Amino acid sequence: MTLEERIRTPGPKKILSLDGGGILGMISVEILAGIEDMLRKQLQRGADFVLADYFDLVAGTSTGAIIAACVAAGMPVARIREFYETSGKDMFDPAFVLKRLYYKYDDDNLTRKLQSELGKDTKLGDAKLRTLLMMVMRNATTDSPWPISNNPYAKYNQRSRADCNLDLPLWQLVRASTAAPTFFPPEVVQLGGNMFVFVDGGVTMYNNPAFQAFLMATTEPYQVNWETGEDKLLVVAVGTGVKPNADEGLRPGQMHMGYELKTLIPALMYAAKNEQDFLCRTFGRCQSGLPLDREVGDMIGMAGPARPKLFTYMRYDADVSQAGLDGLGQTDIREANIQSMDSVAHVDDLQKLGRAVAVNKVRAEHYAAFLQ
């Protein structure tokens, strides 16, 4: 089945969304392993069944873009896990001391690994991508978020254009989506006669790209036009850990320029991730998810303004506060070790946490309408 045929074939459609978070993406990988295993059992499929056989659109930001591209290319989760296990430390290669004024890590190892896994000559429009793929990055040149996709019907994906996005190298777009400011250098992309400087999509409103993926699948400008409905559209969103950076002892006098520079971007990213999740729970029928806050709770079973709901929704994430870890039975994991995107020394803990979330939260009955 070609991508065009998959888009237009009638029947329920399934969307997978993957958050940004650096090496914390290992949490997502283990949750995906649980989903893949559950689907193989429920659909009575063997080890050759992969997530690309089930999900029709895979969206990701930053580390989520790495995982999304691998899923769309038909890789089993075991291979994606191996990518992070064998390359995690190499991807965070300290930059030369003078470069650390601009960024903490060099991107050479990450670039080589992406080229090796995805193919140096593989383009965004390559037929090896088995699903729709959306990745989010920020075009610093034009000061705009770029949710770029391989959608053959999108305006800037028309082959007649000299600046057709489908001709861009897949690895380079993934690298652009992972170019976290202060962590990695930006990525320069040549498109037609223009040169653009890209940074991590996590500094847009789409570090969690779930609702944007829903919009791409259903709103008219993108021309995918999938039907909405609780039994017609499924959105599964996978996070990389959540914990507000609360500071009960904070005093106004502590909020100097250095404090603001340190905390502002993480605060905006947390708020944006939360808002995308909130929108999905409002307009979708939420089957699973941590409480958003103490006022709205988890919204499971709530009606909302869209009646009937526009899609079925599951959100899998880990509460990485110490209380949340203890609640999952992970009492040997320390919260301080698993909250930084470069926590490469604690990959084993991230894996244990992701597996615990999968065991406790992934339920076959939530997928009942989408297991035909």
Side-chain angles (χ1 to χ4, degrees), residues 44-167:
Q44 299 182 348
R45 302 288 294 273
D48 59 339
F49 177 88
V50 294
L51 294 176
D53 294 318
Y54 183 77
F55 290 101
D56 303 288
L57 188 163
V58 187
T61 301
S62 194
T63 198
I66 296 177
I67 302 170
C70 291
V71 169
M75 293 185 194
V77 176
R79 182 174 168 187
I80 303 173
R81 177 193 289 127
E82 184 180 359
F83 174 95
Y84 278 82
E85 287 177 336
T86 60
S87 305
K89 291 182 180 180
D90 292 339
M91 287 190 287
F92 290 89
D93 180 33
F96 182 66
V97 64
L98 293 179
K99 293 183 179 179
R100 293 182 199 173
L101 294 171
Y102 301 95
Y103 48 84
K104 192 174 180 180
Y105 300 107
D106 272 324
D107 66 328
D108 292 345
N109 287 339
L110 176 57
T111 294
R112 282 193 292 270
K113 188 63 178 177
L114 291 174
Q115 291 175 341
S116 173
E117 291 295 324
L118 299 174
K120 188 174 183 179
D121 298 322
T122 302
K123 307 298 184 185
L124 178 62
D126 200 290
K128 73 190 296 182
L129 293 176
R130 295 168 53 182
T131 75
L132 275 173
L133 171 65
M134 185 189 88
M135 299 173 291
V136 182
M137 56 211 71
R138 177 177 176 267
N139 189 329
T141 303
T142 62
D143 190 24
S144 58
W146 270 38
I148 196 169
S149 79
N150 63 338
N151 171 17
Y153 306 106
K155 178 178 180 178
Y156 290 99
N157 286 355
Q158 300 310 301
R159 292 294 188 181
S160 58
R161 298 183 64 96
D163 58 350
C164 177
N165 288 338
L166 296 180
D167 294 327

Side-chain angles (χ1 to χ4, degrees), residues 160-222:
S160 58
R161 298 183 64 96
D163 58 350
C164 177
N165 288 338
L166 296 180
D167 294 327
L168 290 170
L170 178 62
W171 71 264
Q172 191 174 33
L173 293 172
V174 175
R175 164 71 188 93
S177 184
T178 64
T182 75
F183 281 88
F184 292 104
E187 182 71 16
V188 178
V189 176
Q190 190 75 32
L191 181 57
N194 298 309
M195 184 186 75
F196 297 117
V197 179
F198 286 97
V199 295
D200 196 313
V203 295
T204 70
M205 290 298 291
Y206 313 116
N207 192 48
N208 166 4
F211 198 72
Q212 178 61 29
F214 162 72
L215 294 176
M216 181 169 283
T218 58
T219 55
E220 291 178 336
Y222 298 108

Side-chain angles (χ1 to χ4, degrees), residues 3 29-30 55 113 138 166-167 182 203 214 221 237 246-247 262 280 302 306 314 317 332 340 344 354 366 368:
L3 183 59
V29 169
E30 295 301 339
F55 290 101
K113 188 63 178 177
R138 177 177 176 267
L166 296 180
D167 294 327
T182 75
V203 295
F214 162 72
D247 187 352
K262 180 181 178 181
C280 285
M302 293 189 179
M314 275 83 85
D317 209 347
D332 58 332
S340 174
V344 292
H366 295 161

